[in-house]
Amino acid sequence: MQIVETTNEGLKRAYTLTIPARDIQARIDAEVKKVAPQVRMPGFRPGKVPANLIKKMHGEALHSDAFNASLRESIDSLMKEKKLRPALQPKIDVADGYEPGRDAELTVELEVLPEIDAPSIEGLALEKLTVPVTDSDLDEALNKLAANQKSYKDAAKTKKAAEGDQVVIDFVGRLDGVEFEGGKAEGAALVLGSGQFIPGFEDQLAGVKTGDTKTITVTFPEDYPAENLKGKEAEFEVTVQQVKVEAETTIDDEFAKQFGLDGLEKLKELMKAQIEQETAGLTRTQMKRQLLDKLAADYDFDVPPSMVDAEFQQIWQQLQAEIAREENPEEGLKEIEAEKDDYRRIAERRVRLGLLLSEIGQANGVAVSSQEMGMLIQQAAQQYRPEDRERFVEYVRQDAMAQAQLRAPLYEDKVVDFLFDKAEVTEREVTREELEAAIEAEEGEAAKPAEKKAPAKKASPKKAAKDEGAEADSAADAPAKKAPAKKASAKKAAAADEPAEEKPAAAKKAPAKKPAAKKPAAKKSSADE
C-alpha cells in the first residue's frame, strides 16, 4: 500500500492511499481457497469445484468483501504507521468508485487529538465547603414534611368556609342548561385557595356551610384544552357535604409511624442523613467546578474543531428543545442567539477539559472495569422496552463509539475522584446559601472566555424549560389546569463542566427507547384545575 500525506495543518491531516489490485486479488484468492471445500455444485464432487467457477458464481460478493477488508486494513495500517489518534471518525472517499481489477485509491481526511504534555498533579490545592446539619435545619425539614401531610377534620355545621378550609362537594355542570361530559362529581375534596379548580369556582364557595346548595357561574379559559368548553360560560350546581378545617399535625412518634418507622428519633436520623446527602452532592459539585476551573486556567491547547462543533450542536439542540416548550419561545431563541458565542466557548472548554481528564486518567492508570462497564450497559438498557433490551446490549457491545458514550461520565468521575485524593484539601464550614452561591459564581465564571475573566457574577439567566412530567389531559380532565412549571436555567443544562462524549456511529441505530410510562390519573371533573 502506498501512503501520500496531502495535508498537515494544525490538527488536520489528509492522505491518499493506493491499494494495489494484486493485493485485493490475493485476498479474493485466499477466500476462494477457504470456502472451496464447502461449495456444492451439480456435476462436481464436494470440494472439487474449480476456483474459476466459484469466482464466477460469487464474484461480486467476493470483490466487495475483499475490498472492504482491504479498506479496513489500510486505515488501520495508516493509523499505526503515522501514529494517528483520530478525534472523530475519519472521512473516507474512494476516488472514481472502485472497479474490480484496478488499483483502489482512497482519500482519508481527519482531525487528530492534540499532543498534551503530561499534566502535573502535584501541588493541587482545593477548598471543600461543607454544610453542617443544625437542629434548626432538621426542624425546618420536619415541618415541611408535616406541611405536606396535611389532614382535615369536620368543622361545626355553622362554620363558614374560608381560604385554607377544605370543602367536600357534589356538583353538576351545565352549558345552556345541558349537562356536559366531565362536569359532574360526587364527594370531591377541594381546599379553597389552592387553585385546583378553574378560575372563579373556588372564590364563589367562600362562606358556604355544611348542607348548603349553591349555583355558581364560571367562564372557561380561552386556552382550555377541551374544544367544546373554551371560553364558554357554565353553571355549576354545588352541594356542600362537609366543611373541614385543617387538623393540627404534631411531630411525634405517632407522626413518624405514618412512614412505617419506629418513632420520631428514627425519622430524625433519616431526615438528617437525607440533608447530609443533598449537601454532600452540592459540596462535590463545588469542588469539581473549582478543580476544573484550575485545570482550564493552567492548560491551553488547540482542540479539534470537529469535536467542538459536535459538542456545540449538542448544547444548542438541548437549549432549543427546552425553549421550544416555553410559552414565548421566540423571546428565548433571541436571547440564546445573542449569546451563541458564549455557548461555543463553553463547548470548547468542555472538549478541552474532556481531553485533559482523559490524559490524566491514562497517565495514572484510571480505568473503567469490565464489570463496571457491564453494569452501565445494563442500566442503560432499562430505558428501552423489555423486548428491545437484549438487542440494545448487543448493539453496544459491538459498537466502540456507543461504549465510549456510556463510559465517559463514569470515567470522568473516577478521574475527578483520583484528583481529589491527590489534592491538598482544606475544609471550611459554610451555610447552604453560601455553598449554592459559590457554585453559581463558579458556573458564571466558567462560561466566560479565559482571557476576559473578571470577578465572578451570576450567570445570565436563560428561559426556563417546562417540566416534561405533565400528563396530557383526557376528555374528562379537559378543564384541569396544569401546575406551574418548575424552571431550570438552560445555561446550567449546558454546563461547562461536562467533557465531550463520543457519539455512536451514525451508520448504526440503537433500538428505539420505550416511551415514558404515564402514571394512571385519577378521573377529574371539568371543574378541576
Side-chain angles (χ1 to χ4, degrees):
M1 179 184 70
Q2 181 183 6
I3 301 176
V4 177
E5 185 177 73
T6 57
T7 301
N8 189 333
E9 299 173 358
L11 300 176
K12 293 184 178 181
R13 303 287 186 275
Y15 301 89
T16 298
L17 311 182
T18 302
I19 307 173
R22 63 177 179 274
D23 291 350
I24 299 175
Q25 187 59 51
R27 192 180 292 273
I28 293 173
D29 293 340
E31 184 65 20
V32 169
K33 186 176 181 180
K34 179 180 175 182
V35 303
Q38 287 82 42
V39 175
R40 299 290 186 268
M41 183 178 293
F44 295 94
R45 286 179 297 167
K48 298 299 182 179
V49 180
N52 63 328
L53 287 180
I54 295 175
K55 293 176 183 178
K56 186 174 182 180
M57 290 173 59
H58 305 287
E60 185 175 345
L62 288 169
H63 274 97
S64 178
D65 291 346
F67 173 73
N68 288 329
S70 298
L71 178 70
R72 290 191 296 270
E73 186 178 276
S74 299
I75 299 300
D76 289 344
S77 297
L78 170 66
M79 300 302 165
K80 291 176 183 177
E81 182 175 329
K82 299 297 183 180
K83 298 180 181 179
L84 301 174
R85 297 191 302 161
L88 296 176
Q89 291 282 6
K91 179 184 176 183
I92 302 170
D93 287 322
V94 181
D96 300 324
Y98 167 66
E99 294 182 9
R102 290 178 50 187
D103 293 348
E105 187 172 286
L106 319 173
T107 58
V108 181
E109 298 177 2
L110 71 156
E111 288 177 349
V112 296
L113 296 176
E115 294 295 329
I116 306 172
D117 294 335
S120 172
I121 58 175
E122 300 300 324
L124 183 61
L126 297 173
E127 183 179 44
K128 181 178 182 179
L129 304 183
T130 61
V131 180
V133 180
T134 64
D135 290 341
S136 61
D137 292 333
L138 194 54
D139 289 341
E140 182 181 353
L142 288 170
N143 288 330
K144 285 182 180 179
L145 181 63
N148 290 330
Q149 299 294 318
K150 285 183 180 179
S151 60
Y152 295 85
K153 61 182 180 180
D154 292 350
K157 291 185 178 180
T158 55
K159 160 70 175 170
K160 293 183 178 181
E163 184 171 334
D165 293 339
Q166 185 186 74
V167 291
V168 180
I169 57 177
D170 302 335
F171 58 83
V172 178
R174 297 182 177 89
L175 288 175
D176 299 325
V178 179
E179 291 186 24
F180 57 88
E181 184 180 358
K184 183 177 182 179
E186 294 180 357
L190 169 64
V191 177
L192 300 188
S194 64
Q196 182 182 346
F197 279 23
I198 56 177
F201 193 104
E202 296 172 24
D203 296 342
Q204 296 179 60
L205 292 180
V208 299
K209 302 186 298 296
T210 298
D212 283 355
T213 298
K214 185 172 184 178
T215 299
I216 62 177
T217 302
V218 294
T219 300
F220 284 92
E222 292 292 343
D223 60 351
Y224 200 70
E227 289 293 333
N228 63 318
L229 298 177
K230 282 184 178 180
K232 297 290 182 64
E233 185 178 86
E235 283 189 349
F236 285 87
E237 184 180 334
V238 182
T239 300
V240 183
Q241 289 187 11
Q242 183 67 54
V243 174
K244 294 174 175 278
V245 293
E246 186 178 341
E248 183 179 355
T249 300
T250 303
I251 302 175
D252 55 13
D253 288 341
E254 290 303 314
F255 176 72
K257 288 176 182 178
Q258 295 180 36
F259 304 97
L261 302 174
D262 294 336
L264 183 57
E265 287 306 312
K266 185 63 177 177
L267 177 59
K268 286 182 176 180
E269 288 177 17
L270 291 176
M271 295 297 291
K272 183 178 180 180
Q274 181 178 323
I275 297 170
E276 288 174 340
Q277 185 177 15
E278 290 173 359
T279 55
L282 292 173
T283 293
R284 178 182 169 80
T285 297
Q286 179 269 329
M287 282 188 68
K288 179 179 175 182
R289 289 188 176 167
Q290 184 186 166
L291 167 67
L292 295 179
D293 279 347
K294 287 180 179 292
L295 293 176
D298 291 343
Y299 295 91
D300 186 20
F301 49 84
D302 290 338
V303 293
S306 59
M307 292 185 73
V308 176
D309 289 343
E311 192 65 28
F312 172 76
Q313 288 304 319
Q314 179 182 344
I315 294 172
W316 198 248
Q317 288 169 12
Q318 182 181 355
L319 289 169
Q320 289 179 318
E322 290 174 346
I323 288 171
R325 294 191 292 267
E326 294 185 0
E327 293 179 3
N328 188 1
E330 292 81 8
E331 182 180 339
L333 288 173
K334 286 180 182 178
E335 187 176 352
I336 65 170
E337 281 287 348
E339 298 186 358
K340 202 167 187 175
D341 289 344
D342 288 343
Y343 288 117
R344 185 166 288 279
R345 281 191 286 268
I346 289 173
E348 183 175 336
R349 170 189 163 101
R350 286 173 63 167
V351 171
R352 184 175 289 108
L353 286 171
L355 295 174
L356 191 56
L357 289 174
S358 178
E359 195 72 26
I360 293 172
Q362 291 179 35
N364 293 279
V366 179
V368 174
S369 68
S370 57
Q371 183 179 5
E372 289 171 328
M373 193 64 206
M375 291 177 63
L376 288 174
I377 294 173
Q378 291 301 326
Q379 288 171 1
Q382 298 308 307
Q383 302 175 63
Y384 296 86
R385 299 181 180 92
E387 61 271 22
D388 287 333
R389 289 172 188 168
E390 186 176 343
R391 188 157 61 93
F392 169 78
V393 170
E394 186 63 24
Y395 156 75
V396 174
R397 294 195 186 283
Q398 294 181 0
D399 193 290
M401 298 293 278
Q403 292 175 35
Q405 184 181 22
L406 284 178
R407 185 189 299 109
L410 177 58
Y411 185 78
E412 175 197 349
D413 281 341
K414 295 188 77 165
V415 176
V416 167
D417 286 338
F418 168 79
L419 291 172
F420 284 168
D421 290 340
K422 294 293 183 181
E424 180 182 338
V425 179
T426 56
E427 293 191 16
R428 178 163 63 94
E429 287 189 0
V430 295
T431 65
R432 179 168 179 144
E433 290 73 19
E434 289 172 332
L435 176 56
E436 290 173 343
I439 292 172
E440 193 158 8
E442 287 167 357
E443 178 182 276
E445 195 72 8
K448 298 175 190 174
E451 69 276 10
K452 294 183 180 180
K453 290 207 172 181
K457 65 178 182 180
K458 209 169 185 178
S460 58
K462 291 285 168 284
K463 283 292 177 181
K466 293 183 181 178
D467 279 349
E468 297 181 28
E471 302 293 344
D473 294 321
S474 66
D477 299 333
K481 287 198 306 185
K482 291 189 173 82
K486 293 180 182 178
K487 296 198 173 186
S489 166
K491 201 152 198 169
K492 288 181 181 178
D497 297 336
E498 300 173 14
E501 296 174 1
E502 295 179 277
K503 305 297 182 290
K508 292 188 179 180
K509 291 186 179 179
K513 287 186 180 180
K514 65 182 178 183
K518 288 191 176 182
K519 297 177 182 177
K523 187 144 181 160
K524 299 178 185 177
S525 74
S526 293
D528 292 341
E529 291 192 84

